[in-house]
Amino acid sequence: SQQGEEDPQALSIQEGENATMNCSYKTSINNLQWYRQNSGRGLVHLILIRSNEREKHSGRLRVTLDTSKKSSSLLITASRAADTASYFCATDSNQAGTALIFGKGTTLSVSS
Amino acid sequence: DSGVTQTPKHLITATGQRVTLRCSPRSGDLSVYWYQQSLDQGLQFLIQYYNGEERAKGNILERFSAQQFPDLHSELNLSSLELGDSALYFCASSVGREANYGYTFGSGTRLTVV
């Protein structure tokens, strides 16, 4: 089954720096979504970008999508300690009757 | 509070036993999804129900089954439990039947099989 693969697996930065995470996927999609998970908690939906969109912003988040390369990136600007979490990309499929498939995530650690 | 309620939060049981996990979706959402999260497998999609009917199936074992009731709450039944079934089980809900809206996740049920 198709799956997003995030890169890097782990990222450590200082407060105020930008964090960039990448996601690659295998087959055609209708949309790609990013989620955040604080340790042991439920996932929280951050942003959805459709296959006909190239860039989307939400607060300090910027997501890009390159369907020709089957890749997406999530940029968090001016990171805060509270951004420490795991970040997952999730892809659907342009086939009916499928659910979101999640990658294994990038663990972001922001130190003050 | 995300609006998706999962019970119980923690469950410890012995191998060979059967357990039922419960999920109430966010008000207005018709789809319920079950996911299993473990360290080695990541977040695995198990099954989706939409308005009471099975919509999509993922890597769900034959020992596992689920259903969605007329009030839209869902239950995931895990039987003949093995040590390897120890994981976090998440329920998520969304308004539509396709994966073109964001999902709202519950806080999960942590299952420990001893």
Side-chain angles (χ1 to χ4, degrees), chain A residues 31-95:
Chain A
N31 70 77
L32 183 145
Q33 304 183 29
W34 285 90
Y35 288 78
R36 184 188 74 232
Q37 183 182 33
N38 291 89
S39 181
R41 312 281 292 271
L43 281 75
V44 175
H45 179 253
L46 295 176
I47 199 163
L48 180 154
I49 186 166
R50 302 196 187 279
S51 60
N52 61 353
E53 298 174 310
R54 291 297 166 256
E55 188 170 312
K56 207 160 182 182
H57 296 256
S58 177
R60 294 184 294 112
L61 305 181
R62 173 180 168 250
V63 168
T64 61
L65 179 64
D66 187 335
T67 53
S68 67
K69 295 181 179 177
K70 292 186 170 60
S71 68
S72 172
S73 68
L74 170 68
L75 169 67
I76 304 174
T77 60
S79 295
R80 306 165 181 168
D83 295 327
T84 295
S86 292
Y87 292 81
F88 296 86
C89 71
T91 52
D92 74 337
S93 165
N94 56 11
Q95 298 174 7

Side-chain angles (χ1 to χ4, degrees), chain B residues 18 31 34 43 65 74 98:
Chain B
R18 172 190 166 95
S31 274
W34 287 97
L43 202 64
S65 65
S74 178
E98 303 297 341

Side-chain angles (χ1 to χ4, degrees), chain A residues 8-30:
Chain A
Q9 287 188 322
L11 182 60
S12 292
I13 60 173
Q14 299 284 321
E15 265 193 328
E17 295 181 338
N18 295 340
T20 300
M21 288 158 264
N22 303 296
C23 169
S24 59
Y25 57 92
K26 296 174 185 169
T27 62
S28 296
I29 59 172
N30 293 313

Side-chain angles (χ1 to χ4, degrees), chain B residues 47-62:
Chain B
I47 197 164
Q48 175 200 0
Y49 280 83
Y50 176 78
N51 205 19
E53 302 215 347
E54 184 183 303
R55 172 71 180 161
K57 222 165 183 176
N59 302 323
I60 188 165
L61 300 173
E62 285 192 10

